[in-house]
DNA sequence: CTCGATGCAAAGTGTTTGCAGTACG
DNA sequence: CGTACTGCAAACACTTTGCATCGAG
């Protein structure tokens, strides 16, 4: 819950970014919720505290914060959703209410679906997304 | 490679849909490739065979075919990509070339990442997406 | 014949961007 | 005080939709 503000600020400044009130509030609001909100929902939350904030600022900050590894973007349907928890974990997506629930890495590293069931989740299918470098790109060691 | 055309047609008709040339060609082109193309790329492929085809038709058919469970949509970045292989499998996403490579279910059910590595893939992170019903929605047995 | 599908173009939706002014460090 | 950031609005990219017409069954 408590996001070590000064630590974050250091991390941001070191990269040449600044900690503006807008950026701060986006981060705080995202840390408060566990609902993986869309950009427009984050905009509403931030607007309650900074009434003149603009959509552009929200989007720009979401992008910046993701680059900084402080939040992460989830592509769900055709609209991005944001996750204040940037540490590696998995997602349970409900097909009915479209809620996204965090599932920590430990409980699925061994594909512990049975324990999810015991917790009341009805698992219908799952898909693993693996990110990295394909053999072809791995060979081209030159660029990046 | 060979998509049992008559079988598919039956499946489509039974649901009140019709097998038009456009729909047929979208399906065929998607079956030919293993690249998970975007809608505009599918449009180009189909246009080579049906020059007057429109974007609306492509999108409508992609949606219909997905509903029928014959193809699947992958959300990658801000643009949807399509997969002619609708059977359950996983994806390896290359961060450099953005290629999506199918990984069959068997080779990851036990999280067999080491074997992917042996095949030349550099795995950097992975995320499991689990779909189903959350406890709250499961309780509301009424609607659907 | 009937009704689902098409082609076209216009309208949406979510996101990005150019610019002049603002404020962080 | 320099430069990253903001607010605003216009632009954008992708997708959906209304309508007259076409064609599968």
């Amino acid at each position: 819950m408590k996001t070590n503000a000064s630590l974050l600020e250091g991390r941001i400044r070191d990269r040449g970014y600044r900690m503006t009130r807008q950026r701060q509030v986006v981060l705080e609001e995202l840390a408060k919720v566990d609902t993986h909100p869309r950009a427009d929902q984050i905009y509403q939350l931030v607007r309650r505290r900074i009434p003149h904030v603009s959509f552009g600022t929200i989007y720009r900050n979401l992008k910046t914060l993701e680059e900084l590894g402080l939040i992460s973007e989830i592509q769900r349907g055709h609209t991005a959703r944001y996750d204040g928890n940037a540490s590696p974990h998995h997602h349970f997506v409900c097909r009915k209410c479209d809620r996204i629930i965090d599932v920590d890495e430990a409980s699925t590293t061994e594909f512990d679906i049975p324990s999810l069931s015991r917790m009341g989740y009805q698992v219908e299918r799952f898909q693993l997304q693996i990110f990295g470098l394909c053999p072809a790109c791995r060979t081209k060691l030159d660029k990046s």
Side-chain angles (χ1 to χ4, degrees), chain A:
Chain A
M1 195 104 296
K2 176 174 168 282
T3 45
N4 194 323
S6 51
L7 199 76
L8 285 186
E9 283 188 40
R11 209 161 147 186
I12 289 170
R13 272 192 240 113
D14 292 350
R15 298 248 221 137
Y17 292 109
R18 289 172 187 176
M19 180 50 95
T20 61
R21 172 144 175 70
Q22 287 80 345
R23 186 162 294 167
Q24 177 78 47
V25 172
V26 166
L27 212 40
E28 283 174 9
E29 292 301 320
L30 219 32
K32 273 188 207 165
V33 298
D34 61 354
T35 52
H36 310 83
R38 299 184 306 267
D40 63 291
Q41 297 173 315
I42 296 168
Y43 169 70
Q44 296 301 345
L45 291 170
V46 174
R47 217 157 69 95
R48 294 202 301 222
R49 296 173 57 187
I50 309 175
H52 54 83
V53 77
S54 73
F55 254 104
T57 296
I58 298 296
Y59 276 110
R60 272 184 288 229
N61 276 318
L62 289 170
K63 199 173 196 175
T64 302
L65 293 170
E66 203 203 1
E67 279 168 24
L68 287 165
L70 300 176
I71 65 170
S72 62
E73 194 187 275
I74 308 166
Q75 214 60 48
R76 177 84 206 112
H78 292 215
T79 311
R81 291 173 65 170
Y82 296 87
D83 193 337
N85 175 6
S87 61
H89 63 277
H90 309 296
H91 290 132
F92 180 93
V93 182
C94 182
R95 74 161 144 80
K96 201 163 171 182
C97 63
D98 209 45
R99 227 186 305 241
I100 296 175
I101 295 121
D102 286 347
V103 178
D104 71 326
E105 196 160 48
S107 71
T108 48
T109 301
E110 298 147 32
F111 264 173
D112 194 2
I113 301 300
S115 89
L116 268 178
S117 303
R118 256 179 270 118
M119 291 162 70
Y121 293 89
Q122 180 173 317
V123 174
E124 294 172 344
R125 71 186 180 84
F126 53 78
Q127 208 218 349
L128 185 62
Q129 291 191 278
I130 310 157
F131 304 92
L133 283 178
C134 67
C137 288
R138 201 183 185 179
T139 311
K140 302 174 210 134
L141 296 164
D142 35 293
K143 304 151 205 147
S144 176

